[in-house]
Amino acid sequence: MKTGLTTEILPASEAATALAARYLKEGGLVAFPTETVYGLGADAAQAAAVAAIYEAKGRPSFNPLIAHVADLKAARQIARFDATATELAEAFWPGPLTLVLPKTAHCPVAELATAGLDTVAIRVPAHPVAQSILRAFGGAVVAPSANLSGHVSPTTAPHVAGDLTGRVDLIIDGGPVNVGVESTIIACFDQAMLLRPGGLPREAIERVLGHALQRLPEDAGSDNAQPLAPGMLASHYAPRTPVRLNATEVGDGEALLAFGSDPVPGTDKALAVMNLSDSGDLNEAATHLFGYLRTLDAKGSHAIAVMPIPHHGLGEAINDRLRRAALGR
């Protein structure tokens, strides 16, 4: 693993944006905030830069990356949009929605970033820092979450620094993100299919489409399957500490990831307790999820017990990440 880079950490500013664009053009790696999580960016057109992302993260080379662009016009240079894709892009971009679409004939995204697929995952982020970098750079930036592969996704610049200092050129600190889980991924082929729940609730997408999204086959998210899109490896979000889901009590030596105002038996004996949302607000829970998992992972407990989370709205994405975390590696 290549390490030993001098990593600059700068607050978001015009000067930081200009430096980020310069590093990207030179094939460097830049971590920056999006509204979902912090991303680790590289020039999507430079295969060597894309390879550097895989190296820095320790990411399997068959797991594709999301290309980030500034607007729909730029996205059309990379992917072919049918009526459904256009409808979703116009409704939800900029925002936490990734579309998986057929590549254009002259798609500039490196083959390594698409993992040999004839499709490309593409998103227009809403975060002003991400937008400023994309516009200053002037091209597509592939940007998976800015963490070591399999670790909990980063929602603050210190999270990024903890994993990637010495592995990347620049970290831009834009403060905590405001969504907290990765983008929702929709494949637009014969019919729109939900590949990964995320920061845009499925219900909102279905209201725009006027019908239900198709679902993946049961085995599509296994670690043995070729991923159809980023973030689909079954153990993609695993902390080091074992995770126990739908806990109705806390065992000896366990930490507790709580939700809501009603404690479960054994809460007072937990090694550590963090509550995703005392009021039961799923949006608030999403913003806290990865940061709290990181904190509890460092407590040295035998396991992290997780109270049940409602499975609607952003709860679907939260439960997806927790299920993957519980699978371990």
Side-chain angles (χ1 to χ4, degrees), residues 143-223:
S145 56
N147 56 284
L148 294 175
S149 188
H151 285 197
V152 178
S153 295
T155 55
T156 68
H159 292 163
V160 180
D163 269 10
L164 298 181
T165 295
R167 297 170 182 261
V168 304
D169 297 289
L170 175 65
I171 299 171
I172 295 184
D173 188 347
V177 302
N178 60 6
V179 174
V181 293
E182 293 88 344
S183 60
T184 301
I185 302 181
I186 302 294
C188 293
F189 303 132
D190 294 334
Q191 293 185 349
M193 176 182 288
L194 178 65
L195 299 185
R196 181 183 75 180
L200 179 65
R202 172 177 49 83
E203 295 91 338
I205 299 169
E206 291 177 341
R207 281 196 296 271
V208 168
L209 294 177
H211 59 78
L213 291 163
Q214 283 192 318
R215 298 302 186 102
L216 275 172
E218 287 295 322
D219 63 349
S222 74
D223 277 350

Side-chain angles (χ1 to χ4, degrees), residues 44-46 50 65 67 78 103 106-114 120-121 140 142:
Q46 294 189 48
V50 176
L65 305 177
I78 292 172
K103 296 178 185 176
H106 303 289
C107 177
V109 177
E111 285 288 320
L112 183 60
T114 61
V120 61
V142 288

Side-chain angles (χ1 to χ4, degrees), residues 32-199:
F32 58 89
T34 77
E35 70 276 24
T36 56
V37 298
Y38 272 69
L40 178 58
D43 182 355
Q46 294 189 48
V50 176
I53 282 183
Y54 289 123
E55 184 179 30
K57 284 177 60 70
R59 185 182 179 97
S61 61
F62 53 83
N63 200 0
L65 305 177
I66 297 173
H68 294 68
V69 294
D71 51 36
L72 179 54
K73 180 180 179 181
R76 291 188 186 278
Q77 304 301 310
I78 292 172
R80 302 199 307 271
F81 283 71
D82 62 11
T84 296
T86 299
E87 184 177 32
L88 292 177
E90 290 177 344
F92 297 116
W93 279 356
L97 173 68
T98 293
L99 297 176
V100 176
L101 304 169
K103 296 178 185 176
T104 57
H106 303 289
C107 177
V109 177
E111 285 288 320
L112 183 60
T114 61
L117 302 174
D118 59 3
T119 57
V120 61
I122 192 165
R123 182 164 94 86
V124 177
H127 197 288
V129 173
Q131 275 285 323
S132 67
I133 291 171
L134 290 168
R135 294 189 183 282
F137 174 62
V141 173
V142 288
S145 56
N147 56 284
L148 294 175
S149 188
H151 285 197
V152 178
S153 295
T155 55
T156 68
H159 292 163
V160 180
D163 269 10
L164 298 181
T165 295
R167 297 170 182 261
V168 304
D169 297 289
L170 175 65
I171 299 171
I172 295 184
D173 188 347
V177 302
N178 60 6
V179 174
V181 293
E182 293 88 344
S183 60
T184 301
I185 302 181
I186 302 294
C188 293
F189 303 132
D190 294 334
Q191 293 185 349
M193 176 182 288
L194 178 65
L195 299 185
R196 181 183 75 180

Side-chain angles (χ1 to χ4, degrees), residues 62 103 134 190 228 266 269 275 318-319:
F62 53 83
K103 296 178 185 176
L134 290 168
D190 294 334
L228 299 175
K269 299 179 181 178
N275 196 319
I318 293 168
N319 282 317

